[in-house]
């Protein structure tokens, strides 16, 4: 039996770093003001019965405000539960009323005080907000809801000034960006799972789906995003598939942007980065009617850049372009009813290589000699239009009843891409899209669930249950100039054989039952059932629609149960333990079933693949460690995923020989595992903040991708060891924070030893260290109140480095600056 822990010298690193527990994820200047939530704005809260520190920390995360404890606050008192939609005042009153504590609201902060009469302080004039002595800042506190969650908050998003969403997430532990500097050639890898179907992406609840040969999967403008939460692993019964995890992107709303006392506001921002001469302009307007319970925000962003400079000094051809994006979010809150509608869009038209994840493209001397440089480069170029749209709606009914808290969600999302070769009459393989190709994903979802809270046998119980529906339509077409005179090729108008059309409907029911034993221990078993129906669209070309070689576009059905269990134990306010287990299924996708070849059959023999996921961990929290009013947090977790019947492109003579003539394009192989460790440390004090994250992973196939009976082979999607450290200082008198971030990545040599290209495009890579500096200025009052300035230097020493999952040198040194103002 294989050990669930990394072995050898790598494990020595784990022991040393796990013991020291240095480093932490994106630690922003926690004491800086966050976007203020208006006190009368309503949000959905889900806070179990727990100690006061845990409860107000959960509240802090859900309203995106800093929460602080004054002297004399008893943080061990039990409060809650608080489940439902409340205004900030209502939520604080219900929670703190049980403990005898009071509170004050500052400009973007909440201060919990031991005396209830303190009440709330709100002011229409920022300069009139009462200033208090320094207090303890409450950072992340582990509970059953966030034990496996890594987050990027609004302050870190502002400070990073990322070009893409994957860039924003690349510093998170065991989360890695896959791709090069080209914005449309980036995807996400979590726990060694790098395929589109293994990382579920939600934008305000709308699921984003897109899969195409060596293309990106995320085309969302970072300026739209307020917060990113990464739920690692497949442990939640609320989610189908997603073996690596679920990424929840939440966009900004009017409540996030309005300053205290405002009912209407406007926002403008300009950003500039030297690498690629990148410019970003954002404008937003927002407002609310408190009497009607209505709020609305509308924003737009334009981002453009020239060629990016990579760390080896090259200008990356076909990396320039312009992206237009925007979003709106509105809501109505009336008594027991809440409705929210959100929409987002982005549009770009740029020159790119067909495989956007490619590195540098330089025409050969022969082609330059024959055609000239520009024409030679054009032969490797497509004119690519990419359009991304989403629309989501949520309705919540939360009457004065512990048994009824019902939510209904619906969404639609469309991602479409059109590629046209600049030279239309040249020969281009249909497997590379032909001379023109179109691919559109439409995804529709509906979700209905209810939460009931009650006492049974003297214990607090919570039962959440629901039904889900998802319909994904994949529409693919191409024009192949070389088949313009071929009847069997439908005269060039057909679907690419490796990018088929089809649709998939998923019908699901799920439930989870939480039992709080009252001694700090909670147990949450869950169960999910999925019924999946997949239908292909017959290829318009008869050479790829030939029953004699096994082409069959008929309907396929799959079903099964997915059980899970979560356990959380808060031993005392300083120590917590957590553990998760799930046995989750995923049915084959449209492209996995209906990809064919002129002699390759439809893969209708496929069965579902499953992951057996496990995670254990512990967390600590201490105060007054190095100085008065400081806080430290640590979190250490180990995970292992065993995948059975993994669905993989069928290649390699030994594997193909198992199926005889007219072998399918995809097959279920014998499985693999990924496993690893994550260690995190956070530190915050009135003047110093910092921390770090560390992740180390490994994985191995049973047999190899070419020969299931051959020697075991490493999983190529597993990223190398990563350590990200942050150290900063807050100058409260001047509303400044400044600091340094270091990123240290170990060399990667544990790769497949046979030729698996193009399914493993990752060669061995060298280790590297990158250093960034940052300064943030967020004036709290005075003439510049409402302004924010961020300055960042990335890759300070212009280090030449090649990320393992990128294959090509990353960006060179980059000076970034942004200035924003809220009117």
């Amino acid at each position: 039996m294989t050990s669930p822990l990394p072995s050898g010298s790598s494990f020595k690193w784990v022991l040393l770093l796990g013991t020291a527990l240095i480093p932490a994820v994106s630690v922003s200047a926690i004491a800086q003001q966050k976007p203020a939530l208006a006190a009368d704005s309503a949000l959905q809260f889900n806070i179990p019965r727990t100690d006061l520190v845990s409860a107000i920390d959960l509240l802090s995360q859900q309203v995106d405000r800093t929460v602080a404890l004054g002297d004399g606050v008893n943080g061990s008192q039990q409060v809650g539960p608080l489940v439902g939609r409340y205004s900030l005042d209502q939520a604080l009153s219900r929670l703190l009323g049980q403990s005898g504590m009071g509170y004050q609201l500052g400009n973007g902060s909440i201060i919990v005080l031991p005396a209830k009469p303190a009440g709330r302080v709100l002011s229409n004039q920022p300069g009139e907000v009462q200033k208090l002595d320094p207090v303890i800042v409450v950072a992340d506190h582990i509970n059953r809801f966030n034990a496996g969650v890594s987050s990027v908050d609004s302050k870190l998003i502002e400070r990073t000034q990322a070009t893409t969403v994957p860039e924003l997430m690349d510093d998170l532990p065991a989360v890695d960006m896959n791709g090069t500097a080209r914005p449309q050639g980036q995807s996400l890898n979590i726990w060694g799972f790098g395929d589109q179907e293994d990382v579920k992406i939600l934008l305000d609840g709308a699921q984003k789906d897109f899969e195409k040969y060596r293309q990106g999967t995320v085309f969302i403008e970072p300026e739209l995003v307020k917060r990113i939460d990464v739920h690692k692993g497949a442990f939640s019964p609320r989610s189908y598939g997603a073996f690596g995890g679920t990424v929840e992107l939440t966009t900004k709303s009017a409540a996030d942007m309005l300053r205290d006392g405002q009912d209407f506001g406007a926002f403008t921002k300009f950003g500039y980065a030297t690498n690629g001469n990148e410019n970003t302009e954002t404008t937003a307007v927002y407002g609310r009617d408190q009497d009607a319970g209505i709020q609305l925000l509308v924003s737009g962003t334009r981002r453009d850049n020239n060629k990016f400079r990579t760390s080896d000094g090259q200008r990356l051809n076909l990396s320039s372009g312009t992206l237009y994006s925007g979003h709106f979010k509105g809501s109505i809150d009336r008594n027991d009813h809440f409705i929210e509608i959100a929409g987002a869009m982005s549009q770009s038209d740029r020159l790119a290589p067909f495989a956007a994840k490619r590195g540098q493209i330089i025409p050969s001397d022969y082609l330059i000699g024959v055609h000239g440089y520009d024409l030679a480069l054009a032969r490797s170029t497509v004119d690519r239009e990419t359009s991304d749209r989403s629309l989501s709606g949520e309705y919540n009914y939360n009457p004065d009843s512990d048994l009824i808290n019902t939510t209904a969600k619906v969404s639609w999302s469309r991602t479409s891409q059109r590629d046209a070769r600049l030279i239309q009459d040249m020969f281009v393989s249909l497997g590379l899209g032909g001379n023109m190709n179109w691919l559109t994903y439409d995804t529709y979802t509906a979700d209905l669930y209810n939460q009931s809270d009650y006492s049974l046998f003297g214990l607090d119980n919570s039962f959440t249950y629901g039904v889900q529906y998802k319909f994904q339509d994949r529409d693919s077409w191409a024009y192949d100039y070389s088949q313009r005179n071929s009847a069997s090729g439908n005269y060039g108008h057909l679907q690419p054989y490796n990018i088929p059309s089809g649709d998939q409907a998923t019908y699901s029911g799920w439930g989870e039952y939480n039992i709080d034993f009252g001694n700090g221990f909670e147990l949450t078993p869950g169960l999910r059932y999925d019924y999946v129906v997949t239908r292909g669209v017959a290829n318009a070309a008869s050479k790829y629609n030939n029953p004699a070689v096994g082409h069959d576009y008929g309907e396929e059905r799959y079903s099964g149960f997915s059980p899970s269990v979560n356990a959380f134990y808060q031993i005392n306010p300083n120590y917590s333990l957590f553990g998760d287990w799930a046995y989750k299924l995923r049915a084959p996708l449209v492209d996995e079933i209906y990809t064919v070849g002129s002699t390759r059959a439809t893969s209708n023999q496929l069965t579902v693949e499953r992951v057996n996921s496990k995670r254990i961990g512990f967390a600590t929290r201490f105060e007054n460690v190095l100085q008065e009013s400081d806080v430290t947090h640590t979190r250490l977790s180990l995970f292992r995923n065993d995948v059975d019947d993994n669905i993989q492109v069928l290649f390699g003579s030994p594997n193909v020989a198992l199926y005889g003539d007219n072998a399918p394009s995809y097959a279920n192989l014998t499985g693999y595992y990924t496993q690893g460790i994550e260690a995190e440390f956070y530190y915050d004090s009135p003047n110093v903040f910092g921390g770090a994250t560390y992740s180390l992973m490994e994985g191995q196939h049973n047999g190899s991708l070419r020969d299931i009976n051959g020697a075991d082979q490493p999983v190529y999607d597993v990223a190398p060891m990563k350590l990200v450290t942050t150290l900063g200082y807050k100058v409260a008198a001047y509303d400044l924070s400044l600091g340094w971030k270091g990123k240290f990545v170990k060399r990667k040599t544990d790769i497949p030893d046979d030729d698996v290209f193009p399914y493993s495009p990752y060669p061995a890579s060298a280790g590297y260290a990158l250093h960034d500096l940052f300064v943030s200025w967020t004036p709290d009052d005075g003439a510049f109140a409402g302004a924010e300035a961020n300055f960042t230097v990335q890759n300070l020493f212009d280090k030449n480095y090649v990320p393992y999952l990128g294959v090509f040198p990353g960006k060179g040194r980059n000076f970034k600056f942004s200035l924003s103002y809220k009117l």
Side-chain angles (χ1 to χ4, degrees), residues 323-376:
L323 175 70
Y324 297 93
S325 60
H327 93 292
F328 74 89
K329 181 179 281 188
S331 64
I332 304 175
D333 192 358
R334 296 288 183 86
N335 298 320
D336 302 332
H337 306 274
F338 175 80
I339 299 174
E340 182 175 80
I341 300 176
M345 61 77 63
S346 68
Q347 187 80 30
S348 68
D349 187 351
R350 63 177 69 208
L351 300 181
F354 176 73
K357 290 185 177 181
R358 280 193 60 178
Q360 183 65 286
I361 295 182
I362 299 177
S364 68
D365 292 339
Y366 172 77
L367 288 177
I368 293 174
V370 174
H371 304 285
Y373 182 86
D374 291 339
L375 192 58

Side-chain angles (χ1 to χ4, degrees), residues 489-505:
N490 198 36
Y491 304 102
H493 299 278
L494 71 168
Q495 295 93 341
Y497 55 84
N498 59 338
I499 312 178
S501 294
D503 61 64
Q504 185 171 79

